[in-house]
Amino acid sequence: MAYDGKIVRRALQRFEADKQDREDRARDRREGVFQRQPRLREIDSQLRSTMSRILSTALRRGTDPRAAVEALKKQNLGLQEERRLLLEGLGLPADCLEDKPACPLCQDAGWREGRMCRCLKAYCAREQQKELSRMLDLGSQSFETFSLEWYDQAEDPALGVSPRENMDWIYRTCKRYAAAFGPRSGNLLLTGDPGLGKTFLSAAIAREVSAEGFSVVYDTAAHIFDRFEARKFGREPGEAVEADVDRVTDCDLLILDDLGTELTTPFVQSALYGIVNGRIVDRRATILSTNLKLDELARRYTPQTVSRIEGEYQILPFFGEDIRRLKKERR
């Protein structure tokens, strides 16, 4: 799960800030207890120094350290019992002065055995949700809030199926895709006129997949191609534009929206093929959303690109009346 550097940096900042906040609150809590019972401060200081005293005694040459070590251990147990009784007298639990990590797996380091711990991944997922929310309405666009009532039940004579039946199939397909998302989930092409739910279902998929800890990038085709062009022709500082391109090529799921609204140039045609083919080769999932039909895509982009899409993407055709217009009329 390759989160882009911007997401990881923001997650680390929040992770460290929360860690520091917990440490500050724990220190204030301890200080409050010590003020109520000063003897507990002395005990705490003695217990903290016990391990170093045991080690120095054990390493002392020329003497048998076992008796001294046992004496220190006995003293340690005595101090712990005294602390327990004093805390009990204050109506506090025996472990209230102990430093407890929020994550028992990594002890709040954020990394475990050279890999990102699940606690830090949760921070990355939340930061990614914020990033996605800047372009998508993740608050209301979900599988739970999707409604079929806006789609006509009358059968389309040319297609032999009603818009509602078709959307029910598309909805269930997208929901299964999100629920079972993984390295081999494959790719989707959402195609059809504006206002039929393509962006809504894209947002629902992004929401579910991101919540499971996968890296998701949602962006318009025009903006993505602009970033690729900026890198190609050196229009901007290298580091920033390289990061934008890397997040498109390396994320677990790329949702490329509004394909076909950009100015189609030979560079754009080449860039689209590079994205589509490169992510297929790397087994990284992609969702393309477009108002163009498949034959229109074939006329606008290269035959190689459309061939890859036809061969490697599940095509979900949207049809019916413009939902946005219908909702506006009912207000």
Side-chain angles (χ1 to χ4, degrees), residues 188-191 256 259 272 276 286-290 309 313:
L188 303 177
L189 173 67
L190 313 185
T191 174
L256 193 154
L259 180 64
L272 178 60
V276 168
T286 307
I287 296 175
L288 301 179
S289 179
T290 180
I309 292 173
Y313 282 62

Side-chain angles (χ1 to χ4, degrees), residues 181-195:
F181 186 83
R184 299 180 181 274
S185 290
N187 313 289
L188 303 177
L189 173 67
L190 313 185
T191 174
D193 292 335

